[in-house]
Amino acid sequence: MLPVEMTVNGERRRGVVDARRTLADFLREECALTGTHLGCEHGVCGACTVLLDGEAVRACLIFAVQAGGAAVTTIEGLGGPDGALSPVQDAFREEHGLQCGFCTPGFVVSVTALLQENPKPSETEIREALSGNLCRCTGYQGIIGAVKRAAEGR
Amino acid sequence: MKPAPFEYHAPETIHEVCGLLAEHGDEAKVLAGGQSLVPMLALRLTRFEHLVDVNRVAALSGFGRENGTLVVRACTRQRVMERDAAIAAAVPLLAQATPLIGHFQIRNRGTVGGSLAHADPASEYPAVAVALGAELELASPGGAVRRLTADDFFVGTWTTAAEPDELLVAARFPVWPARSGFAIEEVARRHGDFALAGVACAITDGRAGIALFGVGSTPVRARDAEEAWLAGAGAAEVAESAVRDLDPPADVHATASTRTRIARHLVERAVTRAQEGQRVAG
Ligand SMILES: Cc1cc2nc3c(=O)[nH]c(=O)nc-3n(C[C@H](O)[C@H](O)[C@H](O)COP(=O)(O)OP(=O)(O)OC[C@H]3O[C@@H](n4cnc5c(N)ncnc54)[C@H](O)[C@@H]3O)c2cc1C
Ligand code: FES
Ligand code: FES
């Protein structure tokens, strides 16, 4: 077992973990932050996407020990402290960018990272950026609409 | 789906990494971006007693120019290749190839050295390395460093000429002359998927490089086609020559003959685009 310490959504978090504990499981089980979803657990679906030092990454493909000293932002860290939705979350709601919601945390985190780097993405850029997140419900049109709305609102 | 237990090592110098690899032999594996290794561990396609995480080795990250060469240290993220204007200026083919690798979340973690060392036959960087005539720099436990050409480095599917206790330290990409043209083309089922077939190519006065990917167990260098191209053959003829001896794999995604047809078309397109690039550059 290995000690690990990182900042999650602005709070210091400590734990003692097996080396094979993924960051996603650490967030869900040690930190009780179950907004980070696990779909495939091998890098394909994007449901587990979090920000690691500001960059969107798969939390199922990094071990918790590797995130020692890093700043992690999960879906729970994107809204306001009073539960207010972030602009991206709000746009997903307005544009019906979700149905069952399983994929949504991963999409919202990915889109947040996209818009930080490229505040006015073209439709092609949006589609390319979303290619790493799978949704089995919406057919994606509402999600693309949500990204456009969030970009316009900026 | 969780990886089997392993012992985790987080060395901070190349010397320590090599020491650990020497000590544990083939029970140890280097962990770089984890974007290929961790899925294989999670699916239990493979397991190792020891993982040697190289992400905290400062000397393994970053890039620089050494005379006519761009030296990319192994643990430099793929995303840096995509974003940094100095990369696009020195080795345009690297900048062109990078957005084709997976998704941006993958490229944020995935490393240049990891992609080369992993040697997936359908991946982009190995073909770029072969087309440009790059060299791979390997360090072994005794501290010795050897360089292999990309042609010699890739020996089979997921197999390279590196020994289990050797660490890939850097990839050395030659900076081609200003009057050069480059192109990479591929077909994948969806954006970000591994390519069904693809080609990377480069042309300048007196030199051409063509390497196909996804159509063999390693990047396939098309030497006859390179010569034909230099001798002034048209794009269609170069393409025909490039696929003449291909023996691509068949799987659920495409038959061998479909792959060959796609490859021929892609070579024609890439050669045309590289020539245009050269004309503009000249
Ligand atoms: C959804 C998804 C889509 C992808 N799509 C593509 C794609 O389209 N094209 C593509 O090319 N790749 C793709 N990849 C793979 C990605 O590019 C990986 O990042 C890359 O193949 C491996 O690099 P890594 O740094 O993540 O290495 P790791 O996964 O950490 O390691 C991979 C292998 O290389 C070895 N290794 C790593 N670094 C070194 C070193 N310095 N010295 C010696 N051995 C080393 C490891 O021991 C391991 O065997 C995809 C991955 C995912 C999850
Ligand atoms: S759970 Fe991480 S990508 Fe699917
Ligand atoms: S809303 Fe159900 S998977 Fe996307």
Side-chain angles (χ1 to χ4, degrees):
Chain A
M1 300 288 271
L2 302 162
V4 62
E5 183 174 340
M6 67 186 85
T7 308
V8 181
N9 300 333
E11 262 179 66
R12 294 223 55 73
R13 296 282 193 159
R14 281 198 190 87
V16 179
V17 295
D18 265 338
R20 63 171 164 160
R21 181 66 121 189
T22 64
L23 176 60
D25 281 337
F26 178 78
L27 293 168
R28 291 177 55 82
E29 301 191 15
E30 257 81 14
C31 304
L33 293 169
T34 53
T36 299
H37 289 172
L38 281 164
C40 67
E41 296 188 81
H42 64 271
V44 174
C45 74
C48 65
T49 309
V50 299
L51 302 180
L52 181 74
D53 291 328
E55 305 270 21
V57 301
R58 309 287 209 226
C60 70
L61 295 188
I62 171 166
F63 297 110
V65 283
Q66 295 187 281
V72 177
T73 306
T74 68
I75 186 71
E76 290 91 343
L78 292 182
D82 52 353
L85 299 183
S86 78
V88 174
Q89 288 173 315
D90 193 53
F92 267 69
R93 186 176 64 182
E94 291 299 321
E95 296 290 330
H96 303 288
L98 65 150
Q99 287 179 25
C100 79
F102 189 84
C103 68
T104 312
F107 270 99
V108 169
V109 171
S110 293
V111 170
T112 301
L114 165 70
L115 295 181
Q116 252 154 26
E117 181 170 341
N118 180 1
K120 295 275 175 248
S122 66
E123 167 118 9
T124 309
E125 286 169 334
I126 294 173
R127 285 176 180 273
E128 271 186 24
L130 295 182
S131 69
N133 291 79
L134 300 182
C135 174
R136 302 296 302 206
C137 302
T138 62
Y140 300 100
Q141 301 309 319
I143 296 176
I144 288 161
V147 183
K148 288 184 183 158
R149 175 186 283 260
E152 275 158 19
R154 284 169 78 94
Chain B
M1 283 191 299
K2 313 286 179 195
F6 56 83
E7 197 175 322
Y8 174 78
H9 306 269
E12 291 182 359
T13 65
I14 292 174
H15 183 73
E16 287 173 75
V17 175
C18 290
L20 285 161
L21 294 178
E23 188 184 337
H24 300 294
D26 53 14
E27 294 197 334
K29 200 76 178 156
V30 170
L31 172 63
Q35 304 298 292
S36 293
L37 181 58
V38 179
M40 293 178 107
L41 295 172
L43 294 165
R44 303 255 177 143
L45 293 172
T46 182
R47 62 188 292 177
F48 295 95
E49 296 293 319
H50 300 269
L51 289 193
V52 182
D53 184 352
V54 294
N55 285 280
R56 295 186 195 264
V57 182
L60 282 179
S61 101
F63 63 87
R65 281 279 276 266
E66 274 177 24
N67 303 320
T69 307
L70 176 79
V71 182
V72 181
R73 288 185 277 282
C75 212
T76 311
R77 308 279 170 212
Q78 295 160 2
R79 200 78 160 123
V80 174
M81 300 298 105
E82 180 177 0
R83 281 177 173 162
D84 203 302
I87 299 290
V91 184
L93 198 50
L94 263 183
Q96 282 188 35
T98 306
L100 302 177
I101 301 176
H103 318 286
F104 80 97
Q105 301 90 335
I106 304 296
R107 303 191 294 271
N108 277 338
R109 277 307 282 176
T111 67
V112 175
S115 176
L116 293 165
H118 188 59
D120 190 294
S123 62
E124 289 81 2
Y125 284 160
V128 168
V130 169
L132 295 178
E135 287 187 321
L136 291 314
E137 198 170 301
L138 299 166
S140 56
V145 172
R146 62 171 181 144
R147 284 190 198 162
L148 289 179
T149 63
D151 281 329
D152 291 337
F153 183 72
F154 300 104
V155 302
T157 301
W158 299 337
T159 312
T160 70
E163 300 294 332
D165 62 357
E166 277 184 314
L167 176 72
L168 177 61
V169 180
R172 307 175 62 90
F173 295 91
V175 176
W176 282 42
R179 223 184 86 76
S180 303
F182 307 92
I184 181 163
E185 294 280 350
E186 70 175 45
V187 166
R189 309 266 310 182
R190 295 172 311 164
H191 181 86
D193 281 5
F194 275 101
L196 292 181
V199 61
C201 70
I203 182 93
T204 190
D205 295 331
R207 185 165 177 201
I210 302 178
L212 295 102
F213 52 102
V215 294
S217 61
T218 61
V220 179
R221 175 136 180 227
R223 289 177 196 274
D224 290 349
E226 289 173 1
E227 275 175 31
W229 194 9
L230 277 179
E237 204 181 316
V238 174
E240 197 53 56
S241 163
V243 302
R244 194 163 298 139
D245 299 323
L246 275 192
D247 183 17
D251 59 25
V252 40
H253 302 296
T255 62
S257 71
T258 303
R259 276 202 165 80
T260 304
R261 271 179 24 234
I262 294 173
R264 176 158 44 79
H265 187 69
L266 291 175
V267 174
E268 189 172 340
R269 205 155 52 176
V271 161
T272 306
R273 196 152 67 75
Q275 264 166 349
E276 271 161 24
Q278 189 190 21
R279 213 168 294 133
V280 174

